[in-house]
Amino acid sequence: MGKIAIVIDSTACMPPELIKGYPIYSAPLQVIWGEESFRDGIDIQPSEFYDRLKTSKITPTSSQVTPSEFKDIYIKLLDEGYDILGIYISCKLSGTMDSAIQAKEMLPGKNIELVDSLSAGMAAGFQVLAVARASQNGATLQECKYLAEKARQQCGVFLVVDTLEYLRRGGRIGGGAAFLGTALNLKPILEIRDGRIEAVEKVWSMSRAIDRMLDLFEKRVNQRSPLRLSALYTNNPEDAELLLERARQRFGINEVSEAVSAPVSPVIGVHIGPGALGLCFMAGM
């Protein structure tokens, strides 16, 4: 039985304490800021990114992992005796999955399997953790791939952003485009559906939007357990902790098996801007 390495991309932005001890390797996307280029989570951390975003007159952009970068990672891990399972940000949000496919095609006959998470952030992260734990218990590469594909059906993401302007600039908003240009302080609630960012509702004020997001989150979980959840934040970690506690209080103490706060990676921050809060979950696994 081969040992399995899991390759993710930096948009999962998984807290280090969650992946410690697992063979999980992250490929960084790029933040492009004028003439400067930063590897997501390596050359620039979330807190640095959001501090700079507040005052920058230049709008940053992002760039996917290249096929050659993935190929180099895969070759290194294959040489170390690993089979490889890649789990990446939705192909409808980034070209990273396509780069991974191209890299796999450069290495024919190798034990490499790829899964599109159809999500981002810790919604992808929970899929990764499910696979890492199964692999540690002896699951094969094909069993791990099947588990990842099953897990993504149990995951979801809700997000409240301060403005849709950043998503508009990056072309990452689908059905939510109808909410552009809405009145001051009208906050959109977004959801990742089938790998795309869609607007669900618009609510007056951030506090009411968060209340409504919690309602939608509880409805989507639909009493499935165990429940793993994560509060996502940009430049507002204290707000995320409060949100996480409020989400936990909606369920019995034995229903929530895992609850963490996690920052939104700089590359995702390019597209959602500061002041955002979100909830990721995996229910029933």
Side-chain angles (χ1 to χ4, degrees), residues 62-164:
S62 62
S63 178
Q64 67 206 48
V65 185
T66 67
S68 63
E69 288 169 332
F70 272 131
K71 182 183 176 184
D72 289 344
I73 293 171
Y74 293 166
I75 289 174
K76 180 178 183 296
L77 293 172
L78 290 166
D79 287 346
E80 292 175 7
Y82 285 104
D83 294 342
I84 296 169
L85 178 63
I87 302 177
Y88 304 118
I89 184 174
S90 170
C91 68
K92 298 168 186 176
L93 300 177
S94 168
T96 294
M97 182 69 181
D98 185 59
S99 290
I101 292 170
Q102 292 180 55
K104 178 182 176 178
E105 291 172 347
M106 296 175 193
L107 299 166
K110 302 299 183 182
N111 288 332
I112 302 171
E113 296 290 349
L114 306 176
V115 175
D116 185 337
S117 74
L118 293 178
S119 200
M122 274 302 296
F126 285 132
Q127 298 171 40
V128 170
L129 286 172
V131 167
R133 290 161 179 165
S135 174
Q136 196 171 63
N137 289 325
T140 65
L141 179 61
Q142 290 301 321
E143 288 170 339
C144 285
K145 181 183 181 183
Y146 171 79
L147 180 62
E149 292 171 339
K150 181 181 176 182
R152 72 183 174 192
Q153 304 302 320
Q154 311 302 323
C155 291
V157 180
F158 286 99
L159 191 67
V160 177
V161 295
D162 195 45
T163 174
L164 282 172

Side-chain angles (χ1 to χ4, degrees), residues 27 29 53 56 71 85 95 97 109 118 133 168 183 217 256 263 281:
L29 279 76
L53 190 63
S56 177
K71 182 183 176 184
L85 178 63
M97 182 69 181
L118 293 178
R133 290 161 179 165
R168 183 195 67 78
F217 153 71
V256 180
F281 66 88

Side-chain angles (χ1 to χ4, degrees), residues 241-255:
E241 288 296 332
L242 292 173
L243 177 62
L244 186 64
E245 184 56 32
R246 291 182 64 187
R248 289 185 63 139
Q249 289 173 359
R250 301 230 172 179
F251 302 92
I253 190 168
N254 295 322
E255 294 176 279

